[in-house]
Amino acid sequence: MESVLVPQQSFSNLKVLDVSKCANLKYLFTAPMASGLMKLERLTVSQCPVLEVLAHSENGEAGVIKFLELKFLSLKNLPVLVGLCNTVNVIELPELVELELEGLPHFSSIYPENTCATSSMSSNKSAIQPFFNKEVLIPKLEILRITKMDKLPRDYRGVW
């Protein structure tokens, strides 16, 4: 099956995106396309067995990814997910209020305790990584649900 190139502006009015059971999907967006989703309010991704990152940055380009209107993000049963983006980009989620994380086995923490953990998420897929790096901005988060993340220390699981 051939890949189809879709103009970046094609999804600029998209408000809700649900992605589920996509067996061959390695990433959902390119980094420029992710930043072009100016009106996206809800994003749900589940049961995609080879999904590595939500946004793939080609040629290692650094930059800022902004989901300006995203209020709800749910990531469930993504066994090889290693992060939001494959490079150390600044990711801004200024309106995110609710975040659900379930069945993400590559993470032993939610936020890094030291700067070493902010290295490229895809550089060492076998290493346990924090879900967020220090460049993720989420000022309005009110609800955080974490389930079936067995590699989180008991301290984490008891708090959430």
Side-chain angles (χ1 to χ4, degrees), residues 73-90:
L73 175 60
S74 176
L75 303 172
K76 295 183 177 182
N77 301 316
L78 304 169
V80 298
L81 186 76
V82 293
L84 297 177
C85 187
N86 65 318
T87 59
V88 183
N89 286 327
V90 175

Side-chain angles (χ1 to χ4, degrees), residues 100-147:
E100 293 181 342
L101 305 174
E102 178 182 317
L104 308 176
H106 281 279
F107 303 101
S108 63
S109 69
I110 301 302
Y111 190 78
E113 293 183 24
N114 60 46
T115 57
C116 295
T118 63
S119 64
S120 175
M121 292 292 188
S122 65
S123 64
N124 186 355
K125 291 180 188 174
S126 63
I128 301 300
Q129 301 284 348
F131 182 75
F132 294 121
N133 65 37
K134 290 186 178 184
E135 305 301 320
V136 175
L137 306 173
I138 314 173
K140 293 185 177 182
L141 188 64
E142 293 178 10
I143 300 168
L144 175 60
R145 288 187 190 93
I146 300 172
T147 55

Side-chain angles (χ1 to χ4, degrees), residues 49-69:
V50 299
L51 187 79
E52 296 175 5
V53 293
L54 292 186
H56 178 74
S57 180
E58 308 221 354
N59 303 321
E61 72 236 8
V64 177
I65 296 176
K66 297 179 184 182
F67 289 101
L68 295 176
E69 296 297 323

